[in-house]
Protein backbone atom coordinates (compact mmCIF):
# COMPACT_ATOMS: atom_id res chain seq x y z
CA UNK A 1 0.00 0.00 0.00
CA UNK A 2 2.86 2.32 0.83
CA UNK A 3 4.33 1.92 -2.64
CA UNK A 4 1.00 3.00 -4.20
CA UNK A 5 1.04 6.20 -2.17
CA UNK A 6 4.65 6.80 -3.21
CA UNK A 7 3.79 6.34 -6.89
CA UNK A 8 0.83 8.72 -6.60
CA UNK A 9 3.03 11.32 -4.93
CA UNK A 10 5.60 10.95 -7.71
CA UNK A 11 2.96 11.30 -10.40
CA UNK A 12 1.54 14.43 -8.72
CA UNK A 13 5.03 15.93 -8.50
CA UNK A 14 5.70 15.23 -12.18
CA UNK A 15 2.37 16.79 -13.17
CA UNK A 16 3.23 19.85 -11.12
CA UNK A 17 6.55 20.23 -12.91
CA UNK A 18 4.80 19.81 -16.24
CA UNK A 19 2.28 22.56 -15.44
CA UNK A 20 5.04 24.92 -14.31
CA UNK A 21 6.96 24.24 -17.51
CA UNK A 22 3.90 24.90 -19.67
CA UNK A 23 3.16 28.17 -17.88
CA UNK A 24 6.76 29.31 -18.29
CA UNK A 25 6.75 28.44 -21.99
CA UNK A 26 3.46 30.27 -22.44
CA UNK A 27 4.88 33.38 -20.79
CA UNK A 28 8.01 33.28 -22.97
CA UNK A 29 5.93 32.87 -26.13
CA UNK A 30 3.76 35.86 -25.24
CA UNK A 31 6.84 37.97 -24.52
CA UNK A 32 8.41 37.04 -27.87
CA UNK A 33 5.18 37.76 -29.74
CA UNK A 34 4.92 41.15 -28.06
CA UNK A 35 8.52 41.98 -28.94
CA UNK A 36 8.00 40.88 -32.54
CA UNK A 37 4.81 42.95 -32.83
CA UNK A 38 6.54 46.02 -31.44
CA UNK A 39 9.48 45.55 -33.76
CA UNK A 40 7.28 45.64 -36.85
CA UNK A 41 5.61 48.82 -35.67
CA UNK A 42 2.13 47.27 -35.81
CA UNK A 43 1.46 46.63 -32.20
CA UNK A 44 2.59 49.66 -30.27
CA UNK A 45 5.58 51.37 -28.84
CA UNK A 46 6.82 48.22 -27.14
CA UNK A 47 10.40 48.39 -25.92
CA UNK A 48 10.85 51.80 -27.46
CA UNK A 49 8.08 53.43 -25.40
CA UNK A 50 9.10 56.42 -23.39
CA UNK A 51 12.24 57.09 -25.39
CA UNK A 52 12.67 60.62 -26.70
CA UNK A 53 16.09 62.03 -27.31
CA UNK A 54 17.98 64.63 -29.29
CA UNK A 55 19.47 63.70 -32.63
CA UNK A 56 22.71 65.23 -33.89
CA UNK A 57 22.80 67.36 -37.05
CA UNK A 58 19.95 65.57 -38.78
CA UNK A 59 18.23 67.49 -41.53
CA UNK A 60 14.46 67.37 -41.78
CA UNK A 61 12.53 66.68 -44.96
CA UNK A 62 9.22 68.07 -46.12
CA UNK A 63 6.44 65.50 -45.88
CA UNK A 64 5.08 64.54 -49.29
CA UNK A 65 2.28 62.03 -49.81
CA UNK A 66 -1.48 61.83 -50.27
CA UNK A 67 -4.58 63.05 -48.53
CA UNK A 68 -7.47 60.73 -47.67
CA UNK A 69 -9.08 61.88 -50.92
CA UNK A 70 -6.05 60.70 -52.88
CA UNK A 71 -4.76 64.17 -53.68
CA UNK A 72 -1.01 64.84 -53.70
CA UNK A 73 0.05 66.96 -50.73
CA UNK A 74 3.29 68.45 -49.49
CA UNK A 75 3.66 69.76 -45.95
CA UNK A 76 6.62 72.10 -45.60
CA UNK A 77 8.50 71.61 -42.35
CA UNK A 78 12.14 72.38 -43.20
CA UNK A 79 12.68 76.13 -43.26
CA UNK A 80 9.19 76.89 -41.95
CA UNK A 81 8.77 79.80 -39.52
CA UNK A 82 7.13 77.46 -37.01
CA UNK A 83 8.17 74.13 -35.51
CA UNK A 84 6.41 70.88 -36.41
CA UNK A 85 5.74 67.74 -34.39
CA UNK A 86 5.30 64.74 -36.68
CA UNK A 87 3.20 61.92 -35.23
CA UNK A 88 3.74 58.62 -37.05
CA UNK A 89 0.70 56.42 -36.41
CA UNK A 90 -1.05 53.43 -37.96
CA UNK A 91 -4.71 52.48 -38.04
CA UNK A 92 -4.03 48.99 -36.70
CA UNK A 93 -1.66 49.83 -33.85
CA UNK A 94 -3.22 49.13 -30.43
CA UNK A 95 -1.22 51.86 -28.69
CA UNK A 96 -2.07 54.30 -31.48
CA UNK A 97 -5.77 54.10 -30.62
CA UNK A 98 -5.27 56.33 -27.59
CA UNK A 99 -3.61 58.99 -29.76
CA UNK A 100 -6.33 58.89 -32.43
CA UNK A 101 -8.98 59.27 -29.72
CA UNK A 102 -7.12 62.15 -28.06
CA UNK A 103 -6.57 64.02 -31.33
CA UNK A 104 -10.23 63.95 -32.33
CA UNK A 105 -11.66 64.49 -28.85
CA UNK A 106 -12.09 68.21 -29.42
CA UNK A 107 -10.15 69.03 -26.26
CA UNK A 108 -7.46 71.69 -26.52
CA UNK A 109 -4.23 69.93 -27.34
CA UNK A 110 -1.02 71.09 -25.71
CA UNK A 111 1.75 70.51 -28.23
CA UNK A 112 5.38 70.72 -27.00
CA UNK A 113 7.12 73.92 -28.02
CA UNK A 114 3.89 75.32 -29.45
CA UNK A 115 4.57 73.32 -32.62
CA UNK A 116 2.12 72.39 -35.34
CA UNK A 117 0.98 68.76 -35.17
CA UNK A 118 1.03 66.72 -38.38
CA UNK A 119 -0.07 63.07 -38.41
CA UNK A 120 1.73 60.77 -40.83
CA UNK A 121 0.62 57.25 -41.72
CA UNK A 122 2.03 54.92 -44.32
CA UNK A 123 0.77 55.19 -47.87
CA UNK A 124 -2.42 53.62 -49.27
CA UNK A 125 -0.44 50.53 -50.26
CA UNK A 126 -0.05 49.76 -46.55
CA UNK A 127 -3.06 51.56 -45.05
CA UNK A 128 -6.81 51.65 -45.56
CA UNK A 129 -7.97 55.18 -46.44
CA UNK A 130 -11.56 54.28 -45.53
CA UNK A 131 -10.54 53.11 -42.06
CA UNK A 132 -8.36 56.18 -41.58
CA UNK A 133 -11.31 58.37 -42.56
CA UNK A 134 -13.25 56.94 -39.61
CA UNK A 135 -10.57 57.72 -37.01
CA UNK A 136 -8.82 60.80 -38.46
CA UNK A 137 -9.20 64.03 -36.45
CA UNK A 138 -10.66 66.98 -38.39
CA UNK A 139 -8.42 69.62 -36.80
CA UNK A 140 -4.98 68.21 -37.64
CA UNK A 141 -3.23 67.58 -40.94
CA UNK A 142 -3.01 63.95 -42.04
CA UNK A 143 -0.60 62.73 -44.71
CA UNK A 144 -0.32 59.20 -46.09
CA UNK A 145 3.38 58.77 -46.85
CA UNK A 146 5.49 55.64 -46.57
CA UNK A 147 8.43 57.68 -47.85
CA UNK A 148 8.26 59.97 -44.80
CA UNK A 149 8.52 56.94 -42.51
CA UNK A 150 11.71 55.98 -44.29
CA UNK A 151 13.14 59.50 -44.33
CA UNK A 152 12.62 59.96 -40.60
CA UNK A 153 13.85 56.48 -39.66
CA UNK A 154 10.66 55.46 -37.89
CA UNK A 155 11.35 52.34 -35.84
CA UNK A 156 7.97 51.60 -34.25
CA UNK A 157 4.54 53.16 -33.93
CA UNK A 158 3.63 55.46 -32.31
CA UNK A 159 6.75 57.48 -33.19
CA UNK A 160 7.31 61.23 -32.94
CA UNK A 161 9.83 63.60 -34.53
CA UNK A 162 10.19 67.25 -33.55
CA UNK A 163 11.40 69.55 -36.33
CA UNK A 164 12.83 72.99 -35.63
CA UNK A 165 11.40 74.89 -38.58
CA UNK A 166 13.86 77.77 -39.02
CA UNK A 167 16.93 75.51 -38.76
CA UNK A 168 15.30 72.68 -40.73
CA UNK A 169 16.61 70.06 -38.34
CA UNK A 170 15.12 67.22 -36.33
CA UNK A 171 16.00 68.04 -32.75
CA UNK A 172 14.29 65.10 -31.03
CA UNK A 173 12.66 61.82 -31.99
CA UNK A 174 11.46 58.64 -30.32
CA UNK A 175 8.51 56.51 -29.22
CA UNK A 176 5.84 57.16 -26.61
CA UNK A 177 2.85 55.30 -25.21
CA UNK A 178 0.44 58.21 -24.53
CA UNK A 179 0.06 61.93 -25.21
CA UNK A 180 0.89 63.04 -21.66
CA UNK A 181 4.22 61.27 -22.03
CA UNK A 182 4.82 63.06 -25.33
CA UNK A 183 4.17 66.44 -23.72
CA UNK A 184 6.46 65.68 -20.79
CA UNK A 185 9.40 64.22 -22.69
CA UNK A 186 9.37 66.31 -25.86
CA UNK A 187 8.98 69.53 -23.89
CA UNK A 188 12.23 68.69 -22.12
CA UNK A 189 13.93 67.56 -25.32
CA UNK A 190 13.18 70.80 -27.19
CA UNK A 191 13.56 73.17 -24.25
CA UNK A 192 15.25 76.33 -25.46
CA UNK A 193 14.91 75.29 -29.11
CA UNK A 194 11.22 75.82 -29.75
CA UNK A 195 8.99 78.86 -29.52
CA UNK A 196 10.04 79.52 -25.93
CA UNK A 197 13.72 79.68 -26.82
CA UNK A 198 13.14 82.08 -29.68
CA UNK A 199 10.93 84.24 -27.46
CA UNK A 200 13.72 84.50 -24.87
CA UNK A 201 16.19 85.41 -27.61
CA UNK A 202 13.85 88.11 -28.89
CA UNK A 203 13.45 89.49 -25.36
CA UNK A 204 17.23 89.65 -24.91
CA UNK A 205 17.59 91.52 -28.21
CA UNK A 206 14.95 94.03 -27.14
CA UNK A 207 16.74 94.67 -23.86
CA UNK A 208 20.05 95.24 -25.64
CA UNK A 209 18.46 97.67 -28.07
CA UNK A 210 16.79 99.55 -25.22
CA UNK A 211 20.21 99.91 -23.60
CA UNK A 212 21.63 101.37 -26.79
CA UNK A 213 23.52 98.24 -27.81
CA UNK A 214 22.98 97.51 -31.50
CA UNK A 215 24.18 94.68 -33.76
CA UNK A 216 27.93 94.99 -34.35
CA UNK A 217 28.50 97.00 -31.16
CA UNK A 218 32.12 96.44 -29.96
CA UNK A 219 30.85 95.60 -26.48
CA UNK A 220 29.31 92.41 -27.86
CA UNK A 221 32.72 91.02 -28.78
CA UNK A 222 35.67 90.20 -26.50
CA UNK A 223 38.80 92.34 -27.01
CA UNK A 224 41.63 90.83 -29.02
CA UNK A 225 44.46 89.48 -26.90
CA UNK A 226 47.86 91.02 -27.43
CA UNK A 227 50.37 88.58 -28.78
Amino acid sequence: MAWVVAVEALVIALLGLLVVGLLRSHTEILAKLHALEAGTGSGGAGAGAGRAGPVAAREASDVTGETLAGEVIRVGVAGARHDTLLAFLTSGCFTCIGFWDRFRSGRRLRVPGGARLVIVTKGPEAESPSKLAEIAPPDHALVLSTRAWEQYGVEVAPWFAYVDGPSGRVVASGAASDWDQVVEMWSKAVEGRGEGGRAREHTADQKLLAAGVHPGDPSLYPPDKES
Side-chain angles (χ1 to χ4, degrees):
M1 187 67 181
W3 67 269
V4 174
V5 175
V7 170
E8 290 179 348
L10 180 61
V11 171
I12 293 174
L14 292 174
L15 288 175
L17 291 174
L18 179 61
V19 171
V20 171
L22 289 174
L23 290 175
R24 181 177 299 174
S25 298
H26 180 68
T27 301
E28 292 177 352
I29 291 173
L30 288 178
K32 290 179 180 180
L33 287 175
H34 179 71
L36 178 62
E37 188 179 32
T40 59
S42 61
R51 181 161 50 88
V55 290
R58 179 174 177 181
E59 295 186 359
S61 302
D62 290 343
V63 179
T64 57
E66 298 181 18
T67 66
L68 288 174
E71 300 175 345
V72 177
I73 184 175
R74 177 173 182 171
V75 178
V77 296
R81 297 180 60 184
H82 50 263
D83 295 344
T84 303
L85 179 64
L86 300 175
F88 294 89
L89 307 176
T90 74
S91 62
C93 160
F94 179 78
T95 310
C96 295
I97 295 176
F99 288 99
W100 289 113
D101 292 342
R102 184 68 176 268
F103 294 160
R104 69 170 185 272
S105 65
R107 290 184 293 169
R108 183 177 179 181
L109 198 65
R110 177 190 170 195
V111 182
R116 168 187 55 171
L117 176 67
V118 176
I119 304 171
V120 186
T121 70
K122 290 187 176 181
E125 77 283 352
E127 277 285 0
S128 169
S130 59
K131 186 174 181 179
L132 287 174
E134 297 175 359
I135 61 178
D139 300 328
H140 300 289
L142 172 62
V143 183
L144 284 69
S145 174
T146 300
R147 182 183 178 186
W149 282 57
E150 298 169 351
Q151 290 175 322
Y152 282 87
V154 179
E155 299 177 7
V156 295
W159 185 267
F160 295 84
Y162 192 98
V163 179
D164 182 283
S167 69
R169 294 185 179 278
V170 181
V171 298
S173 64
S177 58
D178 59 61
W179 183 249
D180 292 336
Q181 192 176 60
V182 171
V183 172
E184 178 183 0
M185 294 190 305
W186 268 258
S187 294
K188 294 178 181 178
V190 301
E191 184 177 0
R193 307 191 74 168
E195 295 294 335
R198 288 194 289 275
R200 287 192 292 273
E201 183 179 351
H202 176 73
T203 300
D205 290 342
Q206 292 299 315
K207 290 181 178 180
L208 288 172
L209 290 173
V213 179
H214 298 273
D217 193 292
S219 64
L220 295 175
Y221 305 93
D224 294 332
K225 295 182 179 180
E226 297 182 0
S227 55

